[in-house]
Amino acid sequence: MLLRLACYCYVVLSAILLAAAKPVVLDWDLMYTSAKPDGKNERRVIGVNGQWPPPVIYVDVGDTLTINANNKLDEPTSLHTHGFFQNGTNYYDGAVGATECGIPPNGSYTYRMNVTQSGTYWIHSHYQAQYVDGLRTPLISRPAAEHYKYDEEVVLMLEAWYNRNSHDINDQLLSTSEAIRLKSFLPTTLVNSRGGSNVNVTKLSFTPGKKYRLRLLNVSGTGMIRFGIENHMLDVIELDGVDSEIKTVPSIQLSAGQRASVLVTAKDNVDYNYAYHADIYTDMQAGVERAELPYTGVVEYAPNAPLIAPTVVGHNKINTTMTWDFFDDIDMVPIDKRPSPGVNKWLPLEVRTAIYDDRKEHMAFNNRTYSPPLVPSLITAHTTGYQGWFPDVYGYKTYPVILDHLEDVE
């Protein structure tokens, strides 16, 4: 009787989950348009269906996400779902040279994936540095039940934006001329694709007593972004799609590609408005001037309330209530605790930037630079039989790491 009841409950639960799951189908024409996100400098960007920025995508766990991508550009493109494991569907991962050839101009490709993970993700081009031209958008995946309660959710896509196209930047950074390569250029901060001196376009509105979930994404090409709100603490509850036990911090920094969710409890009065910070730190390439680039937005409780904000002198902030302790994400404790796997293989990876024999500056693993293969590595692995175990078959200077299926690697 108990076994029959358990089976019945399982069937009912499965039927409910299947009924809740839905297909999410997006038809995207990837095409050029123009935008002036900082309010001053207009430039060509890559949008979707003639609009920029591309729309935010919302899905639920159990859904099937399908994107019919039509390339209207004059170069190849792709779509990578950043943070999705693509377990069993890695041919939809969008990494040109690794899992696909890229969608050629006037070509089409359908990405279809099962949504098995909840959390904060983003979709972007994975062809060269193309997403720096604006082909990126948040992807929010909602679970059947949240671990934490909150009143409202706000997506904050943070970005170090350049008023130059990605090819110009790439040509400068890979120039053989030191004078050209080291000529400084600086980005500007965008919040949800808006920025500049008009803080009204990046304003956050808080209601006293409410609890807000801020989904923070750093979609920059280079540069770390540091986020915090004057006189407010941040309860970190998610990091890169992993729900975690609460860690309370005054501020958080995100490297390029990272995402985090923080809970912020609003004040119980409307006496003041407060500045929030989204400061850029440029530190990855020599051509990008090492700098702290402060950005200050407004958390508004009342239109005419006085603003608590720091005084900015040059690139320095004074009279601030913020403390900028380094946020160590290695200390985060996941809610879904699992024992550490045994390690089958240990791989040393030393990251370095140097000038190589082509007189260009490259970033490299283990002092080896990477050249994209003529045939994507996934296709090579699936079509060469036993030869797929030999690194040379993947192409000159690809330097593949070949692993066994389900091997645990440190």
Side-chain angles (χ1 to χ4, degrees):
M1 178 63 182
L2 289 177
L3 178 60
R4 183 181 302 170
L5 179 61
C7 292
Y8 173 77
C9 292
Y10 175 78
V11 170
V12 170
L13 179 60
S14 298
I16 292 173
L17 292 175
L18 286 173
K22 62 186 184 300
V24 178
V25 181
L26 304 174
D27 295 315
W28 279 11
D29 287 343
L30 310 177
M31 57 201 305
Y32 296 115
T33 184
S34 61
K36 192 161 40 175
D38 64 355
K40 295 185 297 184
N41 301 285
E42 187 168 2
R43 58 158 290 191
R44 189 176 78 167
V45 296
I46 300 175
V48 170
N49 300 334
Q51 297 183 344
W52 190 87
V56 179
I57 302 172
Y58 292 91
V59 294
D60 298 304
V61 170
D63 289 350
T64 301
L65 174 62
T66 301
I67 303 179
N68 300 309
N70 305 304
N71 184 5
K72 306 295 184 180
L73 310 176
D74 57 11
E75 62 182 5
T77 190
S78 73
L79 293 175
H80 169 66
T81 308
H82 194 116
F84 267 31
F85 298 147
Q86 298 287 12
N87 193 2
T89 55
N90 48 6
Y91 36 83
Y92 293 139
D93 194 48
V96 174
T99 61
E100 67 169 77
C101 298
I103 311 171
N106 299 314
S108 300
Y109 190 71
T110 295
Y111 297 88
R112 184 176 293 109
M113 60 203 84
N114 297 321
V115 180
T116 61
Q117 300 161 248
S118 64
T120 308
Y121 305 91
W122 57 303
I123 288 182
H124 62 83
S125 168
H126 213 305
Y127 173 72
Q128 297 184 354
Q130 195 177 68
Y131 81 79
V132 175
D133 295 323
L135 184 48
R136 75 290 178 273
T137 193
L139 169 64
I140 308 303
S141 179
R142 297 167 294 209
E146 293 282 3
H147 289 287
Y148 299 100
K149 295 186 181 299
Y150 49 89
D151 298 301
E152 291 186 26
E153 175 179 297
V154 180
V155 176
L156 289 179
M157 183 173 68
L158 311 175
E159 182 174 14
W161 177 259
Y162 295 95
N163 293 310
R164 305 167 59 191
N165 70 57
S166 61
H167 292 292
D168 288 345
I169 296 173
N170 191 67
D171 289 347
Q172 176 179 337
L173 295 180
L174 291 179
S175 173
T176 57
S177 166
E178 184 175 10
I180 293 175
R181 189 174 63 251
L182 297 182
K183 185 177 180 181
S184 67
F185 59 98
L186 294 175
T188 184
T189 298
L190 295 187
V191 179
N192 292 337
S193 302
R194 305 292 294 275
S197 58
N198 183 4
V199 295
N200 288 321
V201 299
T202 59
K203 179 176 63 181
L204 305 179
S205 296
F206 275 17
T207 299
K210 280 192 174 183
K211 182 175 288 187
Y212 293 86
R213 177 177 185 161
L214 306 184
R215 293 184 183 266
L216 309 173
L217 306 91
N218 182 355
V219 301
S220 307
T222 62
M224 182 180 74
I225 293 181
R226 186 176 65 181
F227 180 86
I229 305 174
E230 297 281 338
N231 276 354
H232 291 69
M233 298 298 287
L234 313 177
D235 290 337
V236 186
I237 60 168
E238 177 221 350
L239 196 66
D240 294 333
V242 178
D243 289 322
S244 303
E245 295 180 2
I246 289 178
K247 182 176 182 179
T248 303
V249 295
S251 61
I252 185 172
Q253 77 280 338
L254 298 174
S255 294
Q258 275 197 299
R259 299 91 59 208
S261 285
V262 299
L263 296 180
V264 181
T265 302
K267 303 292 185 183
D268 60 3
N269 60 75
V270 296
D271 295 343
Y272 296 96
N273 297 325
Y274 300 86
Y276 72 82
H277 306 269
D279 302 339
I280 300 172
Y281 286 81
T282 58
D283 57 1
M284 289 184 66
Q285 291 286 80
V288 184
E289 180 180 307
R290 271 70 168 177
E292 174 189 348
L293 304 176
Y295 180 83
T296 301
V298 175
V299 174
E300 184 181 87
Y301 283 84
N304 298 317
L307 178 66
I308 293 182
T311 302
V312 178
V313 179
H315 288 167
N316 297 314
K317 293 181 177 181
I318 59 176
N319 300 327
T320 177
T321 65
M322 297 298 305
T323 55
W324 298 107
D325 298 332
F326 186 80
F327 172 70
D328 197 346
D329 54 15
I330 198 69
D331 293 335
M332 296 296 293
V333 178
I335 288 177
D336 182 11
K337 299 178 180 64
R338 301 181 185 182
S340 299
V343 176
N344 302 125
K345 183 174 289 186
W346 180 73
L347 294 176
L349 289 177
E350 180 188 60
V351 183
R352 64 176 297 178
T353 300
I355 305 296
Y356 285 87
D357 52 8
D358 60 357
R359 295 168 47 213
K360 298 179 180 180
E361 182 183 55
H362 297 279
M363 298 186 75
F365 282 128
N366 299 336
N367 207 26
R368 292 176 169 180
T369 59
Y370 170 79
S371 295
L374 295 177
V375 177
S377 301
L378 179 66
I379 297 175
T380 299
H382 278 278
T383 57
T384 55
Y386 74 91
Q387 295 183 51
W389 291 101
F390 297 94
D392 290 348
V393 77
Y394 291 89
Y396 178 67
K397 278 193 174 182
T398 58
Y399 303 117
V401 175
I402 301 173
L403 304 171
D404 290 325
H405 185 228
L406 298 180
E407 190 169 19
D408 294 319
V409 181
E410 179 181 22

